[in-house]
Amino acid sequence: MSPTTTFALIRHGQTDWNAQQRIQGATDIPLNDTGRGQATDAVTALSGYDWDFLVSSPLSRAAETADLIAAGLELAVTRRIPGLVERDYGPAEGLRAGDELEALRFPGGFHGAESEADVAGRGIDSLELLAREHPGARIIIVTHGTLIRLALARALDREVGSIDNAALTLVRHHADGWRLDVLNGELLHPRETAVVRAKTPE
């Protein structure tokens, strides 16, 4: 029986652009004080499990969130993984809802932005690489909301809603596929728990 690798997927804490409802994407915006508090609070939810190490996106809001969680759990952040950066929204970054943003929108995305399929693909690739390199490990991954949402939707073949700042999402990977146990800090009812067989690569 192949080992199961467990991932805690944590969106970074709040930034000023989050609070202002601006599209952030690949722009490197730091945590604000609320975000630092959220990162510290995430330690409580994570302390109910045993973890081996953390990895994060290299963007500063994710890296600092990971460092704060690591300090609280007395663990190491071992890698900053480029494949875990947030979706690049191109010219839409920094914009809020309004005419300027709507002018960039088309069905399924924004002009000049990275496609959802590409984001989901590199997110899944990053998770599967970690599972191959560390079979059976329990890994905390601090990354970004859109990347988590799109990667989970691809892995589970289901719609996934928005991901809250610093909330715990728990997913398990094994040879037969993926299992989602906790989403946005909420333990899923057994009937809602998603188990999907691994797909043959296209």
Side-chain angles (χ1 to χ4, degrees):
M1 184 174 181
S2 63
T4 296
T5 304
T6 301
F7 296 108
L9 304 178
I10 306 290
R11 181 186 176 193
H12 59 80
Q14 187 190 82
T15 71
D16 286 345
W17 277 21
N18 287 149
Q20 296 163 7
Q21 297 185 322
R22 296 183 184 274
I23 293 181
Q24 221 161 203
T27 304
D28 198 359
I29 306 299
L31 293 181
N32 59 23
D33 287 341
T34 296
R36 294 184 184 96
Q38 290 171 335
T40 301
D41 291 343
V43 172
T44 300
L46 289 162
S47 63
Y49 305 85
D50 291 325
W51 303 105
D52 295 313
F53 59 90
L54 296 87
V55 300
S56 82
S57 156
L59 294 179
S60 62
R61 59 190 183 269
E64 185 178 2
T65 300
D67 290 344
L68 290 167
I69 291 172
L73 295 175
E74 299 183 345
L75 293 172
V77 179
T78 62
R79 293 165 67 183
R80 312 290 189 191
I81 300 177
L84 295 175
V85 299
E86 182 59 296
R87 182 184 185 185
D88 186 342
Y89 283 91
E93 294 189 8
L95 300 181
R96 290 187 284 192
D99 292 343
E100 190 176 2
L101 182 60
E102 286 306 308
L104 294 170
R105 192 187 298 275
F106 67 91
F110 297 93
H111 292 288
E114 184 180 11
S115 73
E116 290 190 348
D118 285 348
V119 178
R122 62 179 170 80
I124 288 295
D125 287 347
S126 297
L127 295 180
E128 291 183 340
L129 178 61
L130 286 165
R132 289 194 300 272
E133 291 178 343
H134 307 281
R138 294 151 301 184
I139 307 168
I140 299 170
I141 297 178
V142 183
T143 180
H144 305 272
T146 299
L147 182 133
I148 294 172
R149 178 176 62 81
L150 294 176
L152 284 178
R154 169 78 65 84
L156 302 169
D157 195 24
R158 57 170 277 188
E159 290 295 318
V160 175
S162 61
I163 303 298
D164 297 335
N165 289 111
L168 171 63
T169 293
L170 189 69
V171 64
R172 304 179 194 273
H173 177 269
H174 51 88
D176 290 333
W178 298 85
R179 177 188 177 102
L180 180 64
D181 292 331
V182 178
L183 180 64
N184 268 340
E186 297 292 329
L187 184 65
L188 297 184
H189 187 278
R191 288 180 298 180
E192 299 176 305
T193 300
V195 182
V196 177
R197 294 186 61 82
K199 296 180 179 180
T200 302
E202 297 178 353

